[in-house]
Amino acid sequence: MPESHSSDGVLAGVAVRALGPEGPFAQAHPDYRVREGQLGLARAIAAAIESRGALIAEAGTGTGKTFAYLTPALLSGGRIIVSTGTRTLQDQLFDRDLPEVVRALGVQVECALLKGRANYICRYHLRRNLADGRFARREDIVDLRRIDRYAGVTRSGDRAGAPDVSEDAPAWALASSTRENCLGQECPDYGDCFVVKARQAAQRADLVVVNHHLFCADLALRDEGVADLLPSADAVIFDEAHQLPDVATSFFGTSVSTRKLTEFARDVLRAGLAEARDAADWTTESRKIEQAVRELRLHAGEPARLDATALRTREALLGAVAQCVETLTDLRALLATSAERGRDLARCALRAGELVVQLERWQDSVLEQTGRGPKAEPDDQDAYGEPTVPVPEGGVAVAGTAPAAGSLPEQAAALSEDETADDGLRVAWAEISSYGVTLHATPLSVAGTFRRHRAQRPRAWVFVSATLAVSGTFTHFARAIGMLDAATHAWESPFDFARHGLLYVPQGIGEPSGSDFPQRVFETIRPLLTANQGRAFVLCTTLRMVDQLASRLAQHLEREGSALTLLVQGTAPRAELLERFRSAPAPVLIGSASFWEGVDVRGRQLSLVVIDKLPFAPPDDPVLRARIEATRREGGDPFRQLQMPAAAMALKQGAGRMIRSETDRGLLVVCDSRLADRPYGRQLLRSLPPFARTRSAEQALAFLAALDDQPADLISTLATSADRPTDSPC
């Protein structure tokens, strides 16, 4: 029996017994193993639920964290919300893990799955767009007809269950609603609405599975005094909690994109022709918006991320934004005179007003002169000798409440009344891509938002992930979510990383600043890919690096007639690439951010993971620049407090693709000498699993050669080597 804890509460004791050697899980599965880390995590979560406290817990891969939080949650008898990082994890939790735990525990609970409205078919918009017949691509009409057939047989209306239609197909935008165009109770299909039914089921349920985006939407509605999406719960458990700060930062900001404006123009045309054809020349009015959008895209220039300082030099771009505001203002007045003619027109009138307000506030925050904070020269270095991101002359435009003297820009623009991020400043910036332009106003921090909601109603807040701690401390994450008083615990993975895995930092690979770095990486990993017969992930920090490595490898494979199968992010949907990777005889998948986490490939099929460089945030990130500036004003060290912890967590996520089970073995390659040569590299290493380490190419190749033999201890088989793996790559 596991060691008893006299301080355990009733719930903790019941949960630990359920997960123990005499519990229902052990009885249901002959090969069940009691894991001390799982018991400890369940005990800590039970204590948080009983005390309605806050808990931040890191549980390494293989700990069994899903059962560890579901068991006390289901046994608590209270109402529970479980929030995951992605829709894929939602489906996995609801369809596989949750039913298994419910059956084992024998509890009678009502569970519900709830996603954002974009995941559900909207009968009204589907029918309207089918009748309209305006499609950008021929494939859209085919997909929309398939969705229509699915709508006639599905009970949930969830796009994830639609056969023959990819979840990321553009046609879904024509078959679902948005917050802006939903007609609510005025919709003729309201009584048969999939979204309404899903939300009603969630309100009745004892346990609701949501995702982080939807949870943030619920917080926003509570702040606005609108009916809640989610029931009032006794505990909220965040799985993959490391994603929450970024999701909340994105959600509580505002953004207006050229795509959003174009969709609005099309909706105005449809509504006008259908409900008030005689009121105006709706085709011309719609084209005015589309023309303003084209001008905005034309004057935006090449792909870039522009902060307020850079934006103030782009007179043509700002003029195009002003033209959008003027066009929308005129249209808003026209729509107001016709709003009583139909539901869609009334909704369009409201949307026009919202767009005008958002764009005007964005303009104000960009054009308002900011105070000048301390300027970091390009050769400024932090305590570790690592250059930090330089702050441009004039600082970054931020907006919010009245600043404290000496700590915030003296003349911050007022952009805090809307939505929920009124506890902090906002950064105004623009994102220009080949697909369009997005104007952002992003909060510097969401900590105050979480603190406020925690104070409004006592309940447990539980944050669980395999990657939350940095060098043994949770300060970075706790500060980001405003819960520095939370209890913190960490349980290491039960896997034997030291014997089954090897970390290789290539000698002489150099730092990634040189223009020849992609070639150096390619030359380094080419023999490893050949020796391992592919079966590798190559994880890149930028899409540009994905393209550069993919191009080099494709040319090499064609020249050599190699049997390796090259899979590249962007050439097919993520799920399809992963399925092909699992079945191909010698696959090499080159990908960026979306493959760094949430990917689980076990066994020999993924036994080589390459990371191109340390995942420090890009220096052109306007939000990072603003946070660095704010941290400096407060007397902090941006590199220690922001950049290094974020890189450590991202690196840990990438490394986590390797060794996914007790029998997995593999080689992790980090093609960045800073991990071995810089002082802060030691801190990053402490955040990684305890792999054996080497800097020898021969040692790495020998390790791969030994993988197919699968000895009990790969590292010991290499002990006779003159360059035996050590506990340090230095």
Side-chain angles (χ1 to χ4, degrees), residues 156-202:
S156 68
D158 188 342
R159 71 165 65 181
D164 304 322
V165 182
S166 171
E167 284 191 58
D168 55 3
W172 282 111
L174 303 174
S176 57
S177 66
T178 65
R179 183 184 67 84
E180 291 83 7
N181 66 23
C182 175
L183 299 179
Q185 296 185 16
E186 296 182 352
C187 178
D189 296 289
Y190 183 80
D192 202 23
C193 176
F194 290 118
V195 174
V196 171
K197 290 180 178 179
R199 291 180 178 177
Q200 289 172 343

Side-chain angles (χ1 to χ4, degrees), residues 52 233-235 453-461:
R52 303 206 170 184
D234 299 298
H453 283 278
R454 181 185 175 194
Q456 287 174 354
R457 185 179 187 278
R459 63 180 175 185
W461 294 72

Side-chain angles (χ1 to χ4, degrees), residues 332-356:
R332 177 178 59 179
L334 176 61
L335 288 167
T337 64
S338 306
E340 295 182 357
R341 301 279 296 273
R343 290 183 294 257
D344 286 339
L345 279 173
R347 194 62 193 161
C348 285
L350 291 174
R351 289 169 63 188
E354 291 175 356
L355 288 169
V356 168

